[in-house]
Amino acid sequence: MADVTRILILGGSWFLGRTIAEIAVARDLNVTTFRRGHSGSDVDGVTTIRGDRTDPDDLARLAQSSEWDLVIDTSSFIPRETLHLARALEPVAARYLLISTVSVYQGWPVEPLNEESPVLECPPDAGPDFGYDGDPGPSIYGFGKAGCERAVLETFGAERTVILRPGVILGPLEYVGRLAWWLRRMQRGGRVLAPGRPERRIQPVDVRDVAAFTLMPDLIGTMNVTAPGRETMGDLLNSCHDLSGGDAKLEWITDEQWLAEQGVRQWTELPLWRMFKGAWSVDSKRALDSGFASRLIRDTVADTWAWLNNGGAAVEHERASELGITPEREQAILGLWDATQLDHCGAQ
């Protein structure tokens, strides 16, 4: 397969899309971004085409502007919009790479997963409300992404489609703010509610590693993109503690069922905490064998902390408002936990 030299990024101003653009420009690749320009900023060195992916005239103008070796789509959520976009670009693009998600799996986050695990059923022309939100899953988000995958595959065919299914992506520019929340919490100090077992294996990936992987010339097919599971929740939170410089003391509450009984919301109120065994059991051997390299979580934490302290601020995102436990609630739960430990000791 020929080297990738001409790239079209759909998006390119936020987090992963921006990081891809920056790496591609640093490699002297010819980079075009297609975006509305309502938020974020353009990366120096790219050619920017303003337009709305939902506007047929804008799509026609985009398709007439050039040809590309690779389209990288970081911003598809609604299948029918992706279908129209893919059809417009199919004559002028050699390959289409879609950033999907592990949320497309029927078993997420309950069951261990690999690329052969069943995927949610969603037609390629579905609208934004297709599917339903379950507890713990599936989700309308997952249904939508599954439909976007079908839209690209039906248009470009398997031999010209790359589908990457990341789990959690962290690092500088992160717009949801999961890692940033933990760093700020450690900086504030005091007793910190650390959920679950510190030895639990986790699989977040660094945004720069995912970005670099998208630019590999020979990618084809569908791949999960998660870290290999060599690091733990303890590694993550201890790195946040060590690098933030605060006087925080981690209080590990290992009885996760007890935490759930207190109404603590998994994934959001305590970011990245999830009880279900499948949350961090995603097989990414296919990506690792294809050249995906995942840096250590401590390096991701260190660079995110440096970004935050160098004036870094995430683009405002609606999901950011869901994050974090209030100081009052955190200390109240820790007090209840202390009482259960005293009762346990008294009963012995």
Side-chain angles (χ1 to χ4, degrees):
M1 186 176 292
D3 289 342
V4 173
T5 58
R6 299 166 300 169
I7 298 168
L8 171 64
I9 302 173
L10 305 176
S13 65
W14 283 24
F15 198 32
L16 178 58
R18 185 177 188 86
T19 305
I20 294 170
E22 290 174 344
I23 292 175
V25 168
R27 295 182 182 179
D28 293 325
L29 302 181
N30 184 326
V31 183
T32 301
T33 59
F34 177 68
R35 52 185 295 268
R36 294 176 301 173
H38 292 174
S39 62
S41 60
D42 297 320
V43 172
D44 291 341
V46 308
T47 298
T48 299
I49 298 176
R50 292 277 184 258
D52 190 325
R53 62 188 294 148
T54 66
D55 187 321
D57 292 337
D58 287 352
L59 296 184
R61 178 168 50 85
L62 173 65
Q64 293 165 5
S65 67
S66 186
E67 295 184 351
W68 295 279
D69 303 310
L70 177 65
V71 173
I72 302 177
D73 187 351
T74 66
S75 52
S76 272
F77 302 97
I78 300 174
R80 68 183 175 209
E81 292 179 3
T82 304
L83 183 63
H84 296 154
L85 182 56
R87 286 174 174 173
L89 293 175
E90 190 275 331
V92 294
R95 285 186 300 149
Y96 195 117
L97 186 151
L98 176 71
I99 301 295
S100 187
T101 170
V102 294
S103 294
V104 300
Y105 290 113
Q106 294 178 17
W108 169 257
V110 178
E111 303 169 1
L113 301 167
N114 59 44
E115 289 88 355
E116 306 308 317
S117 300
V119 172
L120 297 169
E121 290 291 335
C122 180
D125 58 352
D129 299 322
F130 187 90
Y132 59 92
D133 288 325
D135 185 12
S139 64
I140 290 176
Y141 168 70
F143 278 105
K145 282 289 195 178
C148 291
E149 290 186 5
R150 285 192 59 186
V152 176
L153 280 166
E154 290 191 7
T155 305
F156 274 77
E159 69 281 358
R160 296 168 60 202
T161 298
V162 186
I163 294 174
L164 301 185
R165 294 171 178 162
V168 176
I169 304 176
L170 303 176
L173 305 178
E174 183 201 350
Y175 56 80
V176 177
R178 298 180 179 102
L179 181 51
W181 186 88
W182 278 113
L183 282 161
R184 295 301 189 197
R185 175 62 194 93
M186 297 299 178
Q187 183 184 40
R188 194 170 77 239
R191 297 180 72 200
V192 176
L193 196 170
R197 297 174 289 104
E199 66 271 18
R200 167 171 281 171
R201 300 286 176 177
I202 60 174
Q203 296 179 288
V205 289
D206 190 289
V207 62
R208 295 160 295 184
D209 297 334
V210 179
F213 189 52
T214 67
L215 297 172
M216 295 189 68
D218 296 324
L219 288 187
I220 206 71
T222 298
M223 287 171 267
N224 298 326
V225 184
T226 62
R230 66 191 168 211
E231 297 180 283
T232 66
M233 194 69 173
D235 292 328
L236 172 64
L237 296 193
N238 285 326
S239 295
C240 291
H241 172 274
D242 296 345
L243 291 161
S244 67
D247 63 351
K249 180 183 179 183
L250 291 171
E251 300 285 354
W252 290 94
I253 295 183
T254 56
D255 189 341
E256 295 180 303
Q257 187 58 45
W258 182 88
L259 267 181
E261 289 169 358
Q262 310 315 305
V264 179
R265 298 191 308 277
Q266 298 179 52
W267 209 244
T268 55
E269 201 167 13
L270 292 174
L272 303 175
W273 168 59
R274 216 160 202 174
M275 294 169 54
F276 308 108
K277 64 182 181 180
W280 300 116
S281 298
V282 179
D283 184 349
S284 289
K285 185 177 184 300
R286 189 178 293 177
L288 294 168
D289 288 346
S290 298
F292 177 65
S294 179
R295 72 192 69 197
L296 295 174
I297 191 66
R298 187 177 183 86
D299 294 335
T300 301
V301 173
D303 292 341
T304 302
W305 183 238
W307 167 67
L308 289 171
N309 286 299
N310 194 34
V315 176
E316 289 188 11
H317 193 278
E318 65 272 12
R319 287 160 62 192
S321 62
E322 305 172 355
L323 286 185
I325 190 170
T326 66
E328 297 78 14
R329 178 159 159 75
E330 179 185 32
Q331 295 311 308
I333 291 173
L334 285 169
L336 289 172
W337 177 251
D338 291 342
T340 66
Q341 301 309 292
L342 287 173
D343 290 344
H344 179 72
C345 291
Q348 287 183 337

